[in-house]
Amino acid sequence: MELNASLFGREKRSDGRFPHQLRPPAVEVGLLHRADGSARFRLGDTSVTVAVYGPSEAQQQRKTLLDRAYVEVLVRPLSGPADAEERSREAILQKIFEAAIDTPRHPRTVVQITVQPMNNDKPMMHVCVVGIYMALLDASVPLRSLPLAVALAYRPLPQGSPDTDFPFLVDPLHTELAACEGCIVIVLDASHRRSKAERDEGDEALPSSAAAAAAAVRRASDAPRGRVLATFPECGGAMPPEVFHTALKVAENACKVLDSFVRLSFERRLTLLQAAFRVQNSHGGDDDDDD
Amino acid sequence: MDPELFRRVQPADFLQRQLADGARPDGRPFTATRKMKLNTNSLPNCEGSATLRCGSSLYVAGVRGEIGSPTDAAHPSHGRIVVTTDFSKLCGADFRDEAGPSQNLSVLLSKTLTQLVNHHKAIDLSQLCIKETEAVWVLYVDVVCLEYDGNFADLPLLASVAALRNVRLPVVTYDTSAKAYRRTTDEATQRVHFKSSPVCVTFSRVLDEDAYWLADPTREEEELGTALTVAFVGGAGEREVTPIRWGGAPVDLERVSRRLLPTASRIKEDVYDALLVG
């Protein structure tokens, strides 16, 4: 119904971005040596350090669940003691990651996730979610779904302005929020896109009749796995339902950017690790290891 | 096997068989809420109060008004409402901070309900002004759960809104010698007006493979699934919603919300709004 044009904004913002653009992401993975996995993820200037310990043996009786792992999230504020704000963040992150981590694989263990925001920017839940995701990848914790998150601020514009069809600001700055009705965070599952593509690829290998049959079955009962893991208001974001459905599409576009970023970051690391592994192995055999 | 025993030992299988037959364990259709009963003004020491019974759940909400200074620099005449929910041990819910997968839920719920109740589309907070930039009413709503049977979001919010709608704020004068505002014993008549009652409708998504969406979930239905709450803040004309989902298996939220929103609107209007008015 709506053209793709309404998934992009036209009028530039105060920092030079278009309304549909994220700030540039950056990450440092594996920076904490004691932790099983760690990541410092940045979106522009908003930065979060995450440490993951686990799955490790549950030391306390109350943290022992017989059929799955116990996922614990701790959010440490920049300064001062943790209060209600941190606790409600912990609650949301805990619910998201308890569903995302493959907990039945490691019963009677604890996965402890510690999140430390490096500055006081708001909104920052989306940065926390991606930071935790990358730290979990670093720790090689098995995941059921791959959560990527983006924050969207909603600001309805009057008719005649260039962005009437695109009443959003993706990845808003704190200063931009004052002019907006509210802000929501949408958490999507990155794995959906890959599995659908893999399904399509897999069909080519079958003989043509089987491929046609498989395609027909898929079309008939096409229940897409779906993509949304979580959505919640960061500071009061109510909008008409049609606008919310557009917001989901906008969030999907933004998450594609994050998805590519995560893959690139880890692919580079993986090739370095593989090269180091090969070098180490060839060391044992002969003395020449010019590669 | 004895059905009650089966229900306790294999709750997921028990629920799955019931739902496959088209009914829930308590006989309701998937989109029906339980019968609710609301009593107001039961607590004489509060400015407003409400008691809500729904199935076996029981919530008591009380509003206490204090005089404070405005905290929002952009709105010096706005008062505020602070909602606190308390799921203590006696209600039977496992939401305490230190135990189990639902840590900190009451803190999160308090924060979310406070946001909803203060939303500018639901209420004009300047009605709580006593003297601009100096004194405003701060209404503290305490919702206590005495018995918990599922649906942790809708019912406390309903109880808080009902209590707020029954608030009668006392007349206040400025005592120059004490340099403070004092309540007088004049008849309290100031009410709190809502432009539209903020309510939310919760569904529980149970059984990942079959994915049934059940409205107003009971405790066992809630434990076996993940919740989706649709919060309404706009009035009848502007239907503005905030879907809230705090984690779970991936869902096609656009398709699901298209299917569920009409049901949610119907529940909001026919059940919740009618309850608050009548």
Side-chain angles (χ1 to χ4, degrees):
Chain A
M1 259 179 345
E2 287 296 319
L3 304 172
N4 265 345
S6 67
L7 295 181
F8 302 98
R10 271 175 268 264
E11 199 177 345
K12 284 204 180 184
R13 294 145 86 167
S14 57
D15 54 357
R17 285 185 285 158
F18 284 108
H20 58 273
Q21 283 181 322
L22 293 167
R23 285 170 293 172
V27 73
E28 207 186 320
V29 174
L31 64 158
L32 300 175
H33 296 163
R34 287 268 168 84
D36 292 326
S38 56
R40 177 171 290 162
F41 176 67
R42 260 183 29 212
L43 212 55
D45 288 331
T46 308
S47 149
V48 143
T49 304
V50 180
V52 168
Y53 298 88
S56 51
E57 186 188 345
Q59 300 290 346
Q60 293 166 294
Q61 176 65 35
R62 64 178 176 84
K63 290 191 188 174
T64 309
L65 297 172
L66 295 177
D67 56 343
R68 51 205 157 97
Y70 179 86
V71 176
E72 184 176 21
V73 178
L74 299 166
V75 176
R76 291 276 159 263
L78 192 56
S79 58
D83 69 350
E85 179 68 36
E86 275 71 42
R87 296 235 280 276
S88 55
R89 296 218 179 130
E90 286 172 3
I92 299 180
L93 292 171
Q94 201 272 348
K95 281 183 167 325
I96 294 174
F97 284 96
E98 188 176 18
I101 294 175
D102 193 4
T103 46
R105 279 251 234 146
H106 297 285
R108 290 187 298 274
T109 62
V110 176
V111 177
Q112 189 188 73
I113 302 170
T114 306
V115 181
Q116 166 86 64
M118 306 306 288
N119 38 36
N120 273 328
D121 287 349
K122 287 191 173 93
M124 64 129 51
M125 280 298 273
H126 56 308
V127 182
C128 293
V129 170
V130 184
I132 297 177
Y133 169 43
M134 299 192 80
L136 288 171
L137 287 178
D138 186 38
S140 305
V141 174
L143 298 171
R144 270 193 278 228
S145 47
L146 313 179
L148 291 171
V150 73
L152 272 109
Y154 171 57
R155 35 140 215 178
L157 294 168
Q159 287 288 340
S161 39
D163 279 329
T164 321
D165 286 336
F166 189 83
F168 305 111
L169 288 177
V170 173
D171 188 21
L173 301 172
H174 188 43
T175 44
E176 292 174 321
L177 282 182
C180 298
E181 286 259 324
C183 176
I184 60 170
V185 175
I186 298 179
V187 182
L188 297 173
D189 177 18
S191 63
H192 166 81
R193 284 186 291 279
R194 272 203 293 282
S195 62
K196 195 160 192 306
E198 276 163 3
R199 275 212 313 268
D200 288 339
E201 278 172 349
D203 280 345
E204 283 163 357
L206 295 169
S208 53
S209 57
V217 166
R218 229 189 18 257
R219 266 196 305 274
S221 65
D222 198 23
R225 252 186 69 209
R227 299 171 300 272
V228 179
L229 294 173
T231 166
F232 49 90
E234 176 96 7
C235 12
M239 55 188 77
E242 286 308 312
V243 176
F244 180 73
H245 296 147
T246 314
L248 288 176
K249 296 195 176 68
V250 172
E252 213 187 319
N253 276 350
C255 284
K256 281 183 192 153
V257 171
L258 287 174
D259 189 26
S260 319
F261 170 75
V262 170
R263 287 198 205 217
L264 275 175
S265 315
F266 275 92
E267 268 166 26
R268 201 162 34 228
R269 225 168 142 245
L270 218 57
T271 33
L272 284 175
L273 280 173
Q274 281 171 339
F277 188 65
R278 273 199 299 274
V279 164
Q280 191 178 38
N281 272 359
S282 65
H283 235 311
D286 48 288
D287 288 13
D288 278 329
D289 59 341
D290 270 54
D291 224 90
Chain B
M1 190 197 257
D2 177 29
E4 270 312 304
L5 185 60
F6 183 49
R7 186 178 192 164
R8 281 192 195 214
V9 167
Q10 297 274 29
D13 280 343
F14 179 82
L15 190 65
Q16 204 260 331
R17 288 185 200 202
Q18 295 262 300
L19 294 178
D21 277 343
R24 293 154 84 168
D26 56 1
R28 280 186 284 158
F30 295 174
T31 54
T33 57
R34 287 166 287 185
K35 241 173 69 128
M36 302 193 185
K37 198 162 180 315
L38 185 66
N39 283 329
T40 51
N41 287 330
S42 26
L43 305 175
N45 286 334
C46 296
E47 264 70 68
S49 60
T51 310
L52 177 68
R53 210 180 233 297
C54 172
S56 351
S57 296
L58 178 59
Y59 290 84
V60 177
V63 183
R64 185 96 190 113
E66 310 253 321
I67 301 169
S69 24
T71 47
D72 190 354
H75 301 284
S77 64
H78 278 195
R80 55 190 181 279
I81 305 174
V82 179
V83 179
T84 314
T85 56
D86 178 20
F87 292 86
S88 61
K89 290 186 188 172
L90 66 87
C91 73
D94 212 7
F95 298 155
R96 292 156 292 165
D97 284 356
E98 67 276 11
S102 275
Q103 59 173 138
N104 296 324
L105 183 64
S106 51
V107 178
L108 174 60
L109 194 61
S110 307
K111 181 173 166 221
T112 309
L113 296 191
T114 302
Q115 271 184 5
L116 285 176
V117 149
N118 282 300
H119 198 280
H120 66 273
K121 286 222 151 67
I123 188 173
D124 181 9
L125 289 170
S126 55
Q127 67 184 294
L128 297 176
C129 181
I130 300 172
K131 188 156 194 292
E132 188 165 334
T133 69
E134 281 181 29
V136 291
W137 279 110
V138 181
L139 302 179
Y140 290 99
V141 186
D142 282 319
V143 186
V144 179
C145 178
L146 295 174
E147 230 179 292
Y148 180 71
D149 190 14
N151 203 347
F152 55 78
D154 298 4
L155 304 177
L157 183 56
L158 268 177
S160 335
V161 173
L164 285 165
R165 285 171 64 111
N166 281 290
V167 154
R168 281 181 167 72
L169 291 172
V171 178
V172 157
T173 54
Y174 188 66
D175 185 343
T176 39
S177 53
K179 295 232 174 30
Y181 283 90
R182 287 203 187 290
R183 297 154 179 251
T184 61
T185 48
D186 294 346
E187 195 187 327
T189 50
Q190 185 183 350
R191 307 290 296 266
V192 174
H193 292 285
F194 278 98
K195 288 191 261 189
S196 69
S197 301
V199 291
C200 59
V201 181
T202 300
F203 299 87
S204 178
R205 179 182 186 271
V206 294
L207 304 174
D208 275 335
E209 309 80 40
D210 311 311
Y212 297 96
W213 291 88
L214 308 174
D216 186 21
T218 59
R219 192 153 161 205
E220 62 177 342
E221 290 165 353
E222 196 173 71
E223 272 167 18
L224 290 169
T226 53
L228 168 70
T229 301
V230 182
F232 293 88
V233 285
E238 348 159 39
R239 183 49 47 80
E240 301 220 334
V241 298
T242 311
I244 302 178
R245 184 169 192 248
W246 290 317
V251 294
D252 189 347
L253 198 56
E254 183 175 340
R255 227 165 44 127
V256 164
S257 63
R258 277 191 210 281
R259 230 180 64 209
L260 291 180
L261 267 178
T263 311
S265 303
R266 184 188 52 80
I267 293 178
K268 165 187 151 50
E269 272 152 29
D270 297 347
V271 182
Y272 294 168
D273 282 344
L275 189 71
L276 288 172
V277 166

